Amino acid sequence: MATDTIAAHDDHHHGPEKGLLRWVKTTNHKDIGSLYLWFSFMMLLVGGAFAMVIRAELFMPGIQVVDPHFFNSMTTMHGLIMVFGAIMPAFVGLGNWLIPMMVGAPDMALPRMNNWSFWILPFAGAILLSTFFMEGGAPAFGWTFYAPLSTTFAPDSTDFFIFAVHLLGFSSIMGAINIIATVLNMRAPDMKLMDMPLFVWTWLITSFLLIGAMPVLAGAVTMMLTDRNFGTSFFDAAGGGDPVMFQHIFWFFGHPEVYIMILPAFGVISHIIPTFARKPLFGYSSMVYATAAIAFLSYIVWAHHMFLTGMPVAGQLYFMYATMLIAVPTGVKVFNWVATMWKGSMTFETPMLWALSFVFLFTIGGFSGLMLGIVPADIQYHDTYFVVAHFHYVLVTGALWSIIAAVFYWFPKWTGKMYNESLAKIHFWWSIISVNILFFPQHFLGLAGMPRRIPDYNLQFADFNMISSIGAFMFGASFILFTYIIIDGIRNGKPAKARPWESAKGLEWTLGSPAEYHSFDKAPSRKAIEQESQHTSVA
Amino acid sequence: MKMMKTLIGAIFAIASTFALSEYTLNMTEGVTSVSQNIYGLHMTIFWIVTAIGIVVFGAMAYSIYHHRQSKGAKAAHFHESTTVELLWTAIPIVILIVMAIPATKVLIDLENTDNAEMTLKITGHQWKWQYDYIENDTFGVPKEGITMMSNLAQSSRDAIKASTQPEHYLLDVDNRVVLPVDTRIRFLMTSNDVIHNWWVPAFGVKQDGNPGYINDAWAKIEQEGTYRGQCAELCGKDHGYMPIVVDVVSKEKYKAWVSEQKAAAAAAAASASKTWSKDELMAKGEQVYNANCAGCHQKDGKGMPPVFPAMVGSSIANGPAADHVNLVLHGKGAMPAFKMLGDADLAAVITYERQGFGNTGTVVQPSDVKSGR
Ligand code: HEM
Ligand SMILES: [Cu+2]
Ligand SMILES: [Cu+2]
């Protein structure tokens, strides 16, 4: 590690290397942050394209576009790519870019490992996508890959899927270790833990979730691998195994995983709302404690995804109560955001619009989540479009929303340019209208009895499916505008001030715009830290 | 502005087409005490979250409207308040307890499957349901029970690629489950291959069928009628094509149905011991094939290589009969075992495969199947 830091110091006053090799060899947290962000954006487009295929097939009853097996591959790959390719890497990218600047560190603690954790990803993604070209087709067992559909009954390409999941897991664990090491060891000496901005706090806690959860996923796929190829029967009742055990292991990873995708989002929102409300974040310490509480609870509620697997009543009751409990710290967060807005002096620049709509729409997803946690009601909701609506409200208008908000908020800091504010506003309204046309009717479909993961349906579901598909195509098209705004901003944007949002707080705003290639080689002073802290009142 | 108008116009156009057609917005209340309790609970939580939503979103909206810079709002400086924070931790806890109490009651009731008056065993197969009525004196179900396979109806299968679909598209089967009204029924769920889930919304019954394990659920259906449902756990290619149709009839009609089934079973046993003509076998075989095999091997016998082999020119179908019988009875890899079908049905379908599709295999009789078991 010592040599790494020295190496990072060596090329100190030379800027970035010229040419393409810069990106291959880079150990600079800003470069790697950009790589992660661009990669995740590409994956978002790929996963989005699959979603368009799904929605095209579901546009009306009957089979028109793809056959049922390929449809299942589409939902599976859409889910996997969105979760592991788009959302998670995007947050790692944000973490890479922002955490060192926010804690006054010159770079990540382990810069070479940082390069490696990124460069694993494109290979893992390529392996996953290559399964489409294999005999028997791509995995078609859902992103949850329940055994025995994913073991005895799966196509041969499943072994490549397993390999890809292992690689993705490696990458995530290394990324998490790096963030923990950076926050704990590289933080400016004068910054106490309770001085840290919330994005840093939420990522620190997320890293512990990653380190706890990803090895469990690795265990699950390894057991699948041996069941498939080496004659074990972990998940095969005929050999003394249990298919339900697969689900326990999967969700022991899977539930923390959904919080891995939302905690950093909470962090982002906790930066944006105070800035545009011109008021310090309400309840800083309760935000930190609530995050820690959610993380802890996320480890003890996994079987709420499995209420119908034949669990004993006592188990159902325990998992129901524990799940309901998560609503408390999550509620605290939402209330704190509203209290931050309260009696502020708000303006509604694009990042704020995304943040406010996050609070609104994520809360709707939270409400349906609470409903799903009530076991008897879940009997009717489980595995229907109600669930699909629920998790898209928390993942799309939650996680993805916060990422887009973050991109607009820190865009000036990253690029030194301002994006086109009026186009960005049009993009916002277009997105928020279409995303609700897309996902809101799915609540009705689920309640009316439409199962998820089906390529075709009865006529009674036709209207809402058509509306949902129209919303999907509109929402899909919004990404053309988004791409234009970003590229136009990078190329033609007006130069940005060091602190483009006048009441933004945080050490990153004390740097230039764009932030220098090497920042904070001298740690910020206590005074600067105090001035930029989220919980001192705005001067 | 003009754009706004067109947009609003479009929304109204969509909304009015809607109003004309049939659609449902909410969960069904159903016809069992369980489903009605679930519905009640669902509405309770729905109104609770709606109320919370009105308060939270109302505060947000108020703040967005009044506390904006363009209205001259000056930012206050407060950033914590222990009282408020304690309050909004405590109030949600109370609300949650209020929700948990009825939820617990309903749950304990619906998980209690004791005192059943009859039992129906449900086995999921890729992609059809097997129903076994367990021996029952009250209704005259014999010791060996009644077994029945239920597949997607041919009318739905034919409409998959058609431009219009029938009313019960994908919610129709060849053999319906028949159950008596006002009877406490215990359902046992299991599976022969992957995990399936038997779901009839109107009963409030939805339970995974896990291979190698048995789960249970119960219902006492209060109203005669036809109820439909679907498999609710991804089970492979045709997961969307394994519906459930239940006819709920009076107890008398149910008894009559049971005796009909007994008679039919006796007739099938008799026909299994007789020798069938080739034409009889081919006619019966076509039906059995289309219902049970066409999902994978396709109606035209061309299969979906490389996963599902073609029947046309198959070495098994043109090879020794014993191998063919053995493969269909016991399965192989992703090819399911079909030993739950009767000897006559199996002989017919095997003959159909051996003599149809341009194949030249030998005719197989029910007795050949019997000795192959
Ligand atoms: C472009 C917008 C999107 C559209 C139109 C869309 C559409 C859909 C649809 C229709 C399904 C259900 C498939 C089925 O059950 O039959 C689905 C599943 C899913 N989506 Fe999305 N989605 C979008 C964005 C996202 C994003 C951003 C995420 C982020 C993580 C995401 C995560 C998932 C997951 C995890 C599943 C479950 C896959 C499975 O059933 O195994 N989606 N999506
Ligand atoms: Cu969960
Ligand atoms: Cu299924």
Side-chain angles (χ1 to χ4, degrees):
Chain A
M1 208 188 89
T3 45
D4 276 350
T5 355
I6 291 164
H9 259 263
D10 273 349
D11 57 1
H12 210 189
H13 296 285
H14 327 290
E17 197 171 325
K18 293 269 175 303
L20 264 183
L21 266 187
R22 162 183 177 186
W23 300 104
V24 179
K25 288 167 41 187
T26 183
T27 55
N28 179 291
H29 74 100
K30 301 184 178 86
D31 282 354
I32 295 177
S34 303
L35 284 172
Y36 266 110
L37 286 170
W38 280 112
F39 173 77
S40 66
F41 186 57
M42 302 310 287
M43 286 292 125
L44 181 76
L45 297 184
V46 173
F50 294 170
M52 295 302 115
V53 175
I54 299 173
R55 285 312 329 172
E57 181 51 64
L58 292 173
F59 188 74
M60 55 189 198
I63 292 288
Q64 295 88 18
V65 185
V66 290
D67 71 68
H69 180 78
F70 190 74
F71 181 90
N72 289 345
S73 296
M74 282 286 115
T75 59
T76 305
M77 291 301 234
H78 162 72
L80 289 170
I81 297 268
M82 286 300 193
V83 169
F84 294 105
I87 303 293
M88 290 173 71
F91 279 128
V92 182
L94 292 176
N96 253 293
W97 248 107
L98 298 170
I99 289 174
M101 301 199 296
M102 286 179 168
V103 299
D107 204 308
M108 296 293 280
L110 309 161
R112 294 202 178 149
M113 191 167 92
N114 203 13
N115 173 292
W116 194 29
S117 20
F118 171 74
W119 277 109
I120 286 179
L121 284 184
F123 292 95
I127 291 172
L128 196 58
L129 290 173
S130 70
T131 56
F132 275 112
F133 306 102
M134 294 178 191
E135 212 174 273
F141 33 59
W143 87 280
T144 50
F145 52 101
Y146 282 5
L149 189 60
S150 61
T151 52
T152 323
F153 295 84
D156 293 345
S157 63
T158 305
D159 295 329
F160 288 85
F161 152 84
I162 292 172
F163 186 43
V165 170
H166 269 305
L167 290 179
L168 292 164
F170 273 140
S171 162
S172 293
I173 292 171
M174 288 193 289
I177 291 175
N178 214 342
I179 285 175
I180 294 176
T182 307
V183 174
L184 297 184
N185 293 335
M186 306 277 289
R187 200 169 72 241
D190 284 337
M191 181 181 265
K192 296 199 246 14
L193 281 177
M194 288 308 267
D195 292 330
M196 294 193 317
L198 266 161
F199 183 71
V200 179
W201 258 118
T202 51
W203 238 125
L204 178 65
I205 292 170
T206 303
S207 301
F208 283 102
L209 286 183
L210 277 169
I211 289 184
M214 296 313 282
V216 179
L217 175 67
V221 292
T222 306
M223 288 154 105
M224 266 173 71
L225 187 76
T226 61
D227 265 15
R228 287 171 53 79
N229 300 301
F230 306 114
T232 58
S233 33
F234 289 109
F235 308 130
D236 181 2
D242 184 353
V244 175
M245 185 174 76
F246 174 87
Q247 298 179 35
H248 281 294
I249 300 172
F250 178 84
W251 286 111
F252 192 82
F253 145 80
H255 196 80
E257 168 68 20
V258 307
Y259 285 94
I260 288 166
M261 292 190 279
I262 205 65
L263 293 185
F266 291 166
V268 168
I269 302 304
S270 304
H271 283 243
I272 295 177
I273 292 186
T275 295
F276 297 99
R278 294 172 178 70
K279 216 171 128 259
L281 180 68
F282 187 87
Y284 169 88
S285 26
S286 71
M287 284 297 212
V288 174
Y289 300 138
T291 310
I294 294 174
F296 170 73
L297 289 173
S298 79
Y299 272 119
I300 55 168
V301 298
W302 74 91
H304 63 203
H305 299 271
M306 303 166 52
F307 285 140
L308 304 187
T309 53
M311 215 188 294
V313 187
Q316 290 178 320
L317 285 175
Y318 161 74
F319 282 108
M320 172 167 80
Y321 299 150
T323 302
M324 292 171 82
L325 218 51
I326 295 198
V328 176
T330 313
V332 166
K333 298 219 151 235
V334 173
F335 301 144
N336 280 348
W337 288 322
V338 177
T340 306
M341 295 158 56
W342 195 258
K343 294 222 152 105
S345 173
M346 275 187 274
T347 51
F348 303 95
E349 287 85 347
T350 307
M352 182 64 158
L353 291 176
W354 288 92
L356 289 177
S357 62
F358 169 100
V359 178
F360 181 56
L361 298 173
F362 172 78
T363 303
I364 291 183
F367 287 153
S368 54
L370 187 59
M371 297 172 81
L372 286 159
I374 309 289
V375 183
D378 184 55
I379 291 182
Q380 298 284 32
Y381 306 143
H382 177 78
D383 247 323
T384 67
Y385 259 84
F386 191 81
V387 178
V388 176
H390 156 70
F391 67 68
H392 283 97
Y393 268 87
V394 289
L395 286 177
V396 178
T397 58
L400 181 63
W401 244 228
S402 79
I403 292 165
I404 297 178
V407 167
F408 283 116
Y409 185 60
W410 281 289
F411 186 88
K413 184 54 58 193
W414 296 339
T415 62
K417 306 276 182 63
M418 289 305 283
Y419 56 86
N420 182 329
E421 182 72 30
S422 29
L423 273 185
K425 284 209 166 111
I426 295 177
H427 170 244
F428 167 77
W429 286 108
W430 183 354
S431 307
I432 192 162
I433 291 171
S434 57
V435 87
N436 281 292
I437 300 178
L438 160 56
F439 292 122
F440 206 80
Q442 295 182 358
H443 290 111
F444 304 134
L445 285 173
L447 292 176
M450 178 167 159
R452 69 191 274 206
R453 296 170 167 171
I454 57 174
D456 197 359
Y457 47 79
N458 181 262
L459 306 180
Q460 63 176 315
F461 306 125
D463 296 324
F464 285 126
N465 269 302
M466 190 173 287
I467 293 173
S468 179
S469 286
I470 291 171
F473 303 144
M474 287 169 61
F475 185 59
S478 77
F479 285 89
I480 300 172
L481 183 54
F482 180 71
T483 314
Y484 175 79
I485 294 171
I486 296 302
I487 292 176
D488 172 65
I490 293 172
R491 289 205 173 159
N492 316 319
K494 291 203 211 60
K497 285 191 274 207
R499 198 184 298 264
W501 322 114
E502 88 242 14
S503 357
K505 289 251 164 179
L507 287 171
E508 75 271 27
W509 305 111
T510 63
L511 302 171
S513 282
E516 300 76 13
Y517 195 58
H518 293 286
S519 41
F520 288 122
D521 27 287
K522 216 170 117 255
S525 66
R526 178 70 204 160
K527 189 158 161 269
I529 292 169
E530 266 169 27
Q531 246 166 18
E532 298 298 336
S533 154
Q534 275 196 304
H535 56 135
T536 50
S537 30
V538 180
Chain B
M1 210 44 227
K2 189 138 173 255
M3 212 176 84
M4 264 324 244
K5 271 188 195 153
T6 1
L7 191 72
I8 292 171
I11 292 171
F12 270 102
I14 295 174
S16 56
T17 52
F18 235 157
L20 296 177
S21 53
E22 262 183 74
Y23 64 95
T24 332
L25 291 176
N26 203 356
M27 184 189 284
T28 172
E29 270 185 75
V31 291
T32 65
S33 62
V34 168
S35 69
Q36 281 149 8
N37 287 338
I38 293 176
Y39 176 81
L41 204 54
H42 157 73
M43 289 316 287
T44 312
I45 342 164
F46 173 74
W47 287 119
I48 291 177
V49 299
T50 307
I52 303 173
I54 290 173
V55 173
V56 175
F57 300 148
M60 259 179 89
Y62 181 91
S63 177
I64 288 173
Y65 187 75
H66 289 280
H67 307 146
R68 51 167 74 210
Q69 200 176 45
S70 58
K71 291 197 72 177
K74 289 270 175 320
H77 290 291
F78 65 87
H79 56 90
E80 56 196 350
S81 156
T82 316
T83 336
V84 177
E85 286 171 66
L86 279 180
L87 214 62
W88 67 39
T89 312
I91 295 175
I93 292 181
V94 174
I95 298 178
L96 290 175
I97 293 174
V98 169
M99 285 161 66
I101 292 168
T104 305
K105 280 197 194 130
V106 173
L107 179 63
I108 289 175
D109 171 60
L110 71 83
E111 286 288 331
N112 177 5
T113 56
D114 295 347
N115 303 323
E117 296 165 76
M118 65 167 279
T119 301
L120 177 69
K121 180 170 163 234
I122 302 164
T123 310
H125 295 263
Q126 276 182 327
W127 292 281
K128 58 184 167 280
W129 296 102
Q130 176 185 346
Y131 299 100
D132 290 286
Y133 291 76
I134 310 290
E135 174 184 15
N136 186 303
D137 292 341
T138 328
F139 296 110
V141 179
K143 194 154 105 253
E144 62 278 15
I146 296 172
T147 296
M148 167 171 118
M149 300 299 302
S150 181
N151 292 278
L152 178 68
Q154 193 60 41
S155 57
S156 290
R157 239 182 251 287
D158 291 339
I160 290 174
K161 299 239 162 142
S163 55
T164 57
Q165 279 81 18
E167 186 190 353
H168 295 302
Y169 179 57
L170 302 189
L171 292 179
D172 215 355
V173 295
D174 53 359
N175 298 314
R176 298 175 170 202
V177 190
V178 177
L179 291 175
V181 74
D182 288 331
T183 307
R184 204 176 151 100
I185 304 166
R186 180 167 185 232
F187 300 99
L188 301 177
M189 282 84 168
T190 185
S191 165
N192 188 45
D193 35 51
V194 300
I195 302 173
H196 301 267
N197 184 312
W198 197 81
W199 179 32
V200 178
F203 302 167
V205 172
K206 187 197 261 172
Q207 190 63 254
D208 281 352
N210 297 318
Y213 292 83
I214 291 184
N215 283 330
D216 63 359
W218 73 275
K220 185 169 179 176
I221 306 152
E222 288 159 4
Q223 221 175 300
E224 293 177 29
T226 301
Y227 302 99
R228 293 165 201 275
Q230 276 174 277
C231 176
E233 181 63 59
L234 179 62
C235 54
K237 177 169 80 62
D238 283 353
H239 162 57
Y241 301 95
M242 48 186 296
I244 298 154
V245 183
V246 184
D247 275 338
V248 176
V249 298
S250 69
K251 293 185 185 180
E252 291 68 41
K253 278 204 192 137
Y254 176 66
K255 274 187 204 156
W257 179 82
V258 168
S259 23
E260 259 174 49
Q261 296 303 304
K262 271 199 291 195
S271 69
S273 50
K274 79 164 197 197
T275 301
W276 289 47
S277 78
K278 188 186 140 197
D279 289 345
E280 282 171 337
L281 285 170
M282 289 298 281
K284 177 99 189 150
E286 181 169 9
Q287 285 169 13
V288 179
Y289 181 87
N290 287 343
N292 293 289
C293 323
C296 296
H297 297 295
Q298 304 300 308
K299 221 171 157 177
D300 58 10
K302 297 219 173 86
M304 292 172 73
V307 189
F308 304 124
M311 284 301 121
V312 181
S314 150
S315 59
I316 301 278
N318 292 296
D323 292 350
H324 196 162
V325 170
N326 188 42
L327 186 121
V328 179
L329 272 175
H330 303 295
K332 180 183 171 199
M335 161 78 194
F338 280 94
K339 50 182 179 291
M340 67 283 179
L341 294 184
D343 292 345
D345 282 0
L346 282 172
V349 74
I350 292 170
T351 303
Y352 179 71
E353 284 181 350
R354 298 174 70 75
Q355 295 263 317
F357 310 119
N359 292 338
T360 53
T362 47
V363 171
V364 171
Q365 289 293 340
S367 54
D368 301 330
V369 176
K370 197 164 181 185
S371 52
R373 278 188 194 262

